[in-house]
Amino acid sequence: MYFASGSDSSGSAADSDSEASSAAGAGEEESEGNRSSSAVAPAIIRPEDCHTDPKLLKALVENHKRSFPYAGAFLVKNEEDTDSNTVTRSDPKKSIHGLKGKELLKHLHEIGTLAKITSIQGDQVLLLGHCRLRITEMVEEDPLTVKVDHLKHMVDFNYQRLADFGAAISVTNKLLCQGVLEELDVSKRLMLTLELVKRELEITKLQQSIAKAIEEKITGEQRRYLLNEQLKAIKKELGLETDDKTALSEKFRKRIESRKEKCPSHILQVIEEELTKLQLLEASSSEFSVTSNYLDWLTVLPWGDYSDENFDVLRAQRILDEDHYGLTDVKERILEFIAVGKLRGSSQGKIICLCGPPGVGKTSIGRSVARALNRKFYRFSVGGLSDIAEIKGHRRTYVGAMPGKMVQCLKSVGTSNPLVLIDEIDKLGRGYSGDPASALLELLDPEQNANFLDHYLDVPIDLSKVLFVCTANVIEMIPGPLLDRMEIITIAGYITDEKMHIARDYLEKNTREACGIMPEQVEVTDSALLALIENYCREAGVRNLQKQIEKVYRKIALQLVRQGVSNEPAREITLVEPSEQPTGVSIATEVENKSQRDSLAEDVSVHVIPTDFSCEKINVVSLTTKSEVDHYEHPKGVSKETSADDKATPTNTSGKMEANEHTEEVMEALVDEALVDKTVEKVVVDASNLDNFVGKAVFQPERIYDQTPVGVVMGLAWNAMGGSTLYIETAKVEDGEKKGALVVTGQLGDVMKESAQIAHTICRSILHEKEPNNTFFTKSKLHLHVPAGATPKDGPSAGCTMVTSMLSLAMGKLVKKDLAMTGEVTLTGRILPIGGVKEKTIAARRSGIKTIIFPAANRRDFDELAPNVKEGLEVHFVDKYSEIYDLAFPSDSQALAS
């Protein structure tokens, strides 16, 4: 928009052109009445649309001081509208404001607006439009002064006002508004304005729809966030609450204040630095969240807080005996550990590793040790763990970073000296995230864990007061450096006698209570438990035995419930005092209808409140069972045989209610329907009906032969589930010259296959020594088989058994009855020591074996076994196979033809 001075601002222009003067006069005449008839410039003002010519501003100021302060306002044309090659087209750096005189006039639209100068503030001029003008000629170049004609309308004034007003309120393109300004035909102008208004309406609708769509995208959480922020701001203004940063800082300082004296100085320094950092961060930043979480972990840990240890050996003995039966050697080792801790004043030392088959109580022993020492207990399993961050924690820079297990443990238990049970340490994994076994070295090593560094906390933590107990099934699977830091305590398993005591004193009792069964309602005989142990639960532990006992008691519970037994606590049904009821209203009870009475438990107590009937007072009586009701002597005048007339006696003058028919019906219903006879038949479980509760037997007797035939010898084996017996069988396939060969089957591993080949070679040497003329191994092709071929078997302890089996077949001699053996034999006939002596001894007892052959190097292992394990066994310890030969083939052995 460009302003031009009015025609009367130049005397010469006014004198030479009367029409110009009349135009100015017309503007004066219309200044009072025609203010609203003028066209309006675009509503949106941009900086490039404003003129900053000082001379023009000075001329406008002078006009404003006159009695007729008017100026002409004209729109600047677009460059495309000019047909001359102007400065603006050749030099884009120059604007329209640099043009003067005729050049400037060429860039202005011919029709403009006569506007009154209402105010001038600085370089801002406020104009009020009046009427249309058309430029006729230029008077002065600087500032641009022109002569104009006033454009009149010969229609109703309201129409043109409406058209101009519609164009004024639109914010559309300025050229469209200029088109309305130049249109003198009011009807056409109204149509142009109507188009502008419709376009404006569509734009408004589109803006509303966009605004609505945006508003719908704002979720409930965002609204809640905004409301919470407003609430916080209001509370802060009222002094009811501080901001987040201040509240968090106060919380963290309050946490650490109570243990400030015990907390290490380097920890306090880190906490103070982080608190200072927290105050400088914006609450909405991600770094603020990371820092607050870090401070939360730092201040919540029990720095310097220790629980008082109890080194009472007698108390520890009592606790271990309460929680576990047997395991004498294990308990003794734990008591030794506690005794050393009492003398040292601290129970620190080597890491205990409880090794044994599943279900023998390794985890529960760790819990008992924690209870005996009065330490907090924390357990975490590392089975299959492949991420080192689970032990050492994540770096704080990662999203969702967390400290390691030990830091989480300290937070959970609230003390710095808990007992931590690391379960399944033999099943550690190894993945792309590092080797957890190596990370455990720093955690478990007493020389290093005093300054354990968690990646998340990034400050040293003293774990030297933590007592670590590990559990494993097979120590061979534990990495060597980790195993070197542990003290192994082996839990071999339980023999049948021990399982019987555990089942009777622990498992059955706990299961019965858990099922809600009374002792007088069930009897599980010893024969049933023995059959359960021998035919269903032969593993070394008792976990499967517990499952089977639970299965038995679940079926017993179902059987009792079907008989109508309920052991729920008795519930009372009270008859309300009749005197409390209005006259003529029947006595109310909590049992309102038959369906409610049917839903009551059978074992229910009925208390009758004493009331004053017309005949006699009824005493308080508690009816527990129907039999008690039958033997109860009803008071005089009140009986179950009361006549209908007596039941319908009206109320007396004292206002107290008489016994009525409803009362008698309630009593009859409670006696006949709610109360039942509690006498039920006791459920007895014995060996004869055990399969009704747990199904058919899973295992057959391990003792297949009462007397093993020629070529068959019983061996003893060890596996992760405990000990077991196995038969090694040898048979002749064919005879012939140079047919001597050996075939082995039975899912044997490489070690056992090598043992079979070594045994075959040794047998040839021994047979040549014992029977020089026997050419059995030279001419016979042999087949050696270990039954249960679906089960993989491997290990260096079956060599002597294989040798004995082949010799038995070659010489046609039976092996001594009730004999089992174990041990590896070398080519020179030496017997090497084996492992799992206790497990193999238990397996032999389970099969009814009387004589066992062990390597001489295992004598110490056998001597350490409990007396009840060794009882009734004849054990021989040998160094050479020749000793086994003399034991297996006594001189009076029966010889059979080969």
Side-chain angles (χ1 to χ4, degrees), residues 282-291:
E282 289 293 333
S284 59
S285 66
S286 59
E287 185 68 17
F288 180 87
S289 177
V290 172
T291 304

Side-chain angles (χ1 to χ4, degrees), residues 266-267 269-271 273-274 290-303 389 391-397 401-411 451-463:
H266 66 278
I267 302 297
Q269 181 180 354
V270 172
I271 291 175
E273 291 175 354
E274 293 296 321
V290 172
T291 304
S292 62
N293 289 338
Y294 180 51
L295 278 169
D296 185 47
W297 280 101
L298 275 179
T299 55
V300 81
L301 294 181
W303 303 106
I391 306 296
K392 299 277 290 180
H394 303 86
R395 300 289 182 183
R396 292 199 304 275
T397 53
M402 287 283 290
K405 285 290 186 182
M406 275 313 304
V407 177
Q408 298 178 36
C409 162
L410 296 180
K411 177 185 177 182
N451 294 294
F452 179 77
L453 188 65
D454 184 90
H455 290 161
Y456 183 86
L457 294 185
D458 203 24
V459 291
I461 308 172
D462 185 7
L463 300 180

Side-chain angles (χ1 to χ4, degrees), residues 722-737:
S724 63
T725 58
L726 76 163
Y727 289 95
I728 293 182
E729 305 172 343
T730 305
K732 182 170 64 174
V733 178
E734 60 178 325
D735 286 334
E737 291 296 332

